[in-house]
Amino acid sequence: MTTALRRARQELDDAGLRGAILVRDLDSGDELGIDAELEWPIASLVKVPLAIATLERAVRGEIDLTAPITVSPGRITTPGPTGLTRFRNPAQISVDDLLYLSIAISDSGASDALFALTPPAAVTAELRRLGYAGITIRHLMDDLTRTPAEAFDPADAHLAHALAIGAATAGNGHAVAQIDVGQANIGSARAFVDLLHGVWRPTTITPEVAARTQELLGDNVIRHRLAPDFSSDASRWSSKTGTVLNFRHEIGVVEHADGQVLAVAALTQSRVPAVIQPGAEAIMAKAARIIHNELRVRS
């Protein structure tokens, strides 16, 4: 293991994090990472394959992106969810606009409206058709609003995180279905870097689907995790985050002004029973940046 990888792993461990990180140069194929093959519950990262599957079906004429969809209000009042999930009244929104809401603001209500058109098993089947075997979709986003976190008052939400930390098994099983790798939506850092590679350098993904997915990821407004370390006047960061209980993830692509393009996947699990952990957000970005910088120097 290189010095950079040891540093990254130590940074994560010192912050109470277990993590998998992979960085890949999308032109040379050179890559560097830690535990990139481990499978994780992926939370809102599932919205990226959902968008790709929806757009691929639209290219085949199976879905009309301009068609209006009536979305029922989620009426969720607990802190956290955004968008349609918090609406109080039904709304009519086009499929194309649902894609924007799903990716740009991580709107789970919009995502489930898209899942109504292409159910989880069909999204997985579309991934397999395109040649991506490392991501499996099993359930809707609504299931992520039914974790133990919703059973506690906000002041006691840390208890749900304590349960999530304490109930894990050595084989990544869990008493909470949404974070049990045998029941949850799952993927690995490598699987998501492979998918991003296919979006930025399309071979099986239809070029117009790849272009629209890049645009959607570039519109992401959730930029408190890896974005501070990967965005600058000399680089463009396009990404998607995912969060459920003590799991915090982000995947993205950084396009440097000198022409180098690198995909980054950082998937983490905290052993600290706290809902708000800005330190963890900063350290996962720092660890990813350490690996990124090492790969960039080598290239």
Side-chain angles (χ1 to χ4, degrees):
M1 181 179 291
T2 69
T3 300
L5 293 181
R6 283 194 294 271
R7 280 182 58 213
R9 192 186 292 277
Q10 191 62 54
E11 290 282 355
L12 292 171
D13 189 59
D14 289 348
L17 296 172
R18 168 177 171 255
I21 300 173
L22 184 65
V23 182
R24 179 186 299 164
D25 184 311
L26 296 187
D27 292 310
S28 71
D30 293 342
E31 63 181 32
L32 198 61
I34 53 176
D35 296 330
E37 315 295 340
L38 289 180
E39 292 183 326
W40 301 70
I42 56 177
S44 287
L45 297 186
V46 73
K47 295 167 184 175
V48 179
L50 171 61
I52 292 169
T54 302
L55 290 165
E56 287 285 342
R57 292 190 63 207
V59 167
R60 296 198 296 270
E62 299 171 8
I63 291 176
D64 179 0
L65 294 179
T66 68
I69 304 294
T70 300
V71 183
S72 299
R75 299 185 185 278
I76 291 177
T77 58
T78 53
T82 59
L84 302 177
T85 310
R86 302 185 75 86
F87 276 28
R88 297 184 177 185
N89 302 287
Q92 275 204 336
I93 304 172
S94 72
V95 175
D96 203 21
D97 290 335
L98 289 171
L99 285 167
Y100 168 76
L101 292 172
S102 176
I103 298 294
I105 67 169
S106 202
D107 185 335
S108 292
S111 302
D112 279 348
L114 295 171
F115 270 131
L117 300 174
T118 309
V123 175
T124 299
E126 188 67 21
L127 289 176
R128 300 296 182 267
R129 184 187 72 81
L130 294 167
Y132 298 100
I135 300 168
T136 300
I137 318 303
R138 297 184 175 117
H139 63 75
L140 304 177
M141 296 307 302
D142 181 65
D143 291 341
L144 296 184
T145 69
R146 304 179 189 282
T147 71
E150 283 64 49
F152 292 97
D153 292 331
D156 296 323
H158 65 283
L159 298 176
H161 287 250
L163 172 62
I165 294 164
T169 70
N172 289 333
H174 208 284
V176 178
Q178 294 89 337
I179 54 177
D180 178 86
V181 294
Q183 302 179 70
N185 297 330
I186 60 169
S188 66
R190 179 171 302 283
F192 276 102
V193 165
D194 286 346
L195 190 62
L196 291 172
H197 199 155
V199 169
W200 259 259
R201 300 291 184 266
T203 53
T204 60
I205 295 174
T206 308
E208 52 263 52
V209 171
R212 177 59 174 149
T213 304
Q214 287 184 38
E215 181 181 23
L216 290 168
L217 291 169
D219 287 338
N220 180 24
V221 301
I222 302 175
R223 306 185 69 80
H224 65 286
R225 195 161 285 171
L226 267 58
D229 277 75
F230 286 93
S231 297
S232 73
D233 288 348
S235 63
R236 172 179 169 81
W237 176 244
S238 305
S239 69
K240 182 73 194 75
T241 59
T243 310
V244 58
L245 291 171
N246 60 321
F247 290 84
R248 292 172 176 81
H249 311 319
E250 186 160 358
I251 61 169
V253 170
V254 56
E255 299 171 87
H256 292 286
D258 62 8
Q260 191 176 29
V261 182
L262 298 105
V264 182
L267 283 61
T268 71
Q269 179 183 20
S270 175
R271 56 180 182 268
V272 178
V275 178
I276 300 172
Q277 295 187 45
E281 313 277 1
I283 291 300
M284 66 182 287
K286 182 178 181 180
R289 186 72 193 200
I290 289 170
I291 295 174
H292 162 278
N293 290 352
E294 175 71 9
L295 183 61
R296 191 153 156 78
V297 166
R298 293 183 181 187
S299 301

